[in-house]
């Protein structure tokens, strides 16, 4: 059994709370491990749980009107998600899929709402944290609209390298393509080009930026 209490206490949401204050969340929560490519929830599903990622990587994706999948976020250890709709009854805004193996804590929405009611000061903290997350997603969208494929790929690799300082993330060329809005073949060509230019170092399990 993972020490979820310690994980929660390290998160900005719950920083400063005591064991007694956090315990009501843990009593109602469910621990679960998802295997590679297993779906935690799908876009449009009824929202029943908040998820805390204790270990592993989760990819968040959305479908376009044409039915094409685009990855919009990469989540690693210590994330709580989904990032939108904490206080509404809307469905899940995207699809969450495990990359490799992911350990999560599933907190019932009702239990979380009661928890916040018991600690109303957390509402402001939640709004602040979620505002940062939404701003980050908006920045990524702006990059998709304004940068070329090479710049979008470098930006994504920069984000992955930053995350990998605490946990190794390995995405396939197809998954990278889904993130940057390009085909697998285009990503492969761009990576070879960047490697020849000395901008990236390609290893078996990781793509590193040469200037990191």
């Amino acid at each position: 059994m993972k020490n979820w209490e310690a994980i929660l206490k390290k998160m900005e949401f719950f920083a400063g709370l005591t064991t007694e204050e956090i315990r009501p969340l843990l009593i109602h929560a469910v621990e679960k491990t998802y295997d590679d490519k297993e779906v935690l929830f799908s876009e449009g599903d009824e929202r029943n749980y908040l998820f805390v990622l204790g270990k592993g990587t989760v990819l968040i994706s959305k479908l376009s009107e044409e039915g094409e999948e685009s990855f919009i976020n990469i989540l690693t250890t210590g994330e709580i998600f989904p990032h939108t709709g904490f206080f509404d009854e809307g469905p899940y805004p995207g699809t969450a899929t495990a990359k490799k193996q992911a350990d999560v804590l599933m907190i019932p929405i009702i239990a979380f709402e009661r928890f916040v009611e018991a600690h109303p000061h957390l509402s402001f903290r939640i709004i602040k944290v979620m505002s940062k997350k939404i701003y980050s997603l908006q920045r990524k969208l702006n990059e998709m609209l304004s940068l070329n494929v090479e710049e979008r790929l470098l930006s994504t690799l920069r984000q992955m390298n930053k995350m990998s300082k605490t946990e190794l993330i390995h995405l396939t060329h197809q998954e990278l393509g889904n993130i940057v809005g390009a085909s697998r073949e285009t990503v492969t060509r761009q990576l070879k080009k960047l490697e020849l230019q000395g901008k990236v170092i390609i290893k078996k399990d990781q793509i590193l930026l040469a200037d990191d």
Side-chain angles (χ1 to χ4, degrees), residues 116-129:
V116 174
E117 288 174 357
H119 307 283
H121 66 283
L122 291 182
S123 299
F124 298 100
R125 191 183 299 178
I126 291 170
I127 292 171
K128 182 179 179 180
V129 173

Side-chain angles (χ1 to χ4, degrees), residues 102-114:
D103 298 333
V104 301
L105 186 70
M106 302 165 57
I107 303 174
I109 294 291
I110 294 177
F112 185 77
E113 289 176 348
R114 290 174 179 168

Side-chain angles (χ1 to χ4, degrees), residues 5-155:
E5 179 186 326
I7 292 173
L8 292 180
K9 284 184 176 181
K10 290 180 180 178
M11 298 174 63
E12 190 173 353
F13 265 24
F14 308 105
L17 296 182
T18 65
T19 297
E20 289 71 24
E21 289 172 324
I22 289 178
R23 187 170 292 134
L25 278 181
L26 299 178
I27 290 175
H28 298 286
V30 178
E31 182 180 33
K32 187 171 181 178
T33 296
Y34 287 87
D35 294 324
D36 186 37
K37 298 182 181 179
E38 191 172 358
V39 174
L40 287 68
F41 55 79
S42 297
E43 183 177 353
D45 284 352
E46 182 180 355
R47 190 195 307 251
N48 295 314
Y49 295 95
L50 291 178
F51 292 76
V52 177
L53 183 54
K55 182 180 180 182
T57 304
V58 169
L59 304 178
I60 304 296
S61 63
K62 288 184 70 69
L63 288 177
S64 67
E65 293 182 358
E66 293 75 28
E68 296 180 355
E69 182 183 40
S70 295
F71 290 130
I72 60 173
N73 211 355
I74 307 170
L75 307 179
T76 55
T77 299
E79 294 269 11
I80 186 168
F81 59 99
H83 289 151
T84 59
F86 268 72
F87 301 109
D88 64 41
E89 298 179 354
Y92 288 114
T95 297
T97 306
K99 177 65 178 175
K100 301 300 181 182
Q101 191 179 79
D103 298 333
V104 301
L105 186 70
M106 302 165 57
I107 303 174
I109 294 291
I110 294 177
F112 185 77
E113 289 176 348
R114 290 174 179 168
F115 177 78
V116 174
E117 288 174 357
H119 307 283
H121 66 283
L122 291 182
S123 299
F124 298 100
R125 191 183 299 178
I126 291 170
I127 292 171
K128 182 179 179 180
V129 173
M130 289 301 100
S131 293
K132 291 180 182 178
K133 300 292 186 183
I134 293 172
Y135 174 79
S136 177
L137 291 174
Q138 289 175 333
R139 181 174 53 79
K140 290 177 185 177
L141 176 59
N142 290 336
E143 288 179 352
M144 287 287 290
L145 297 174
S146 61
L147 301 180
N148 60 37
V149 174
E150 179 179 320
E151 291 168 332
R152 296 200 301 269
L153 183 57
L154 285 171
S155 177

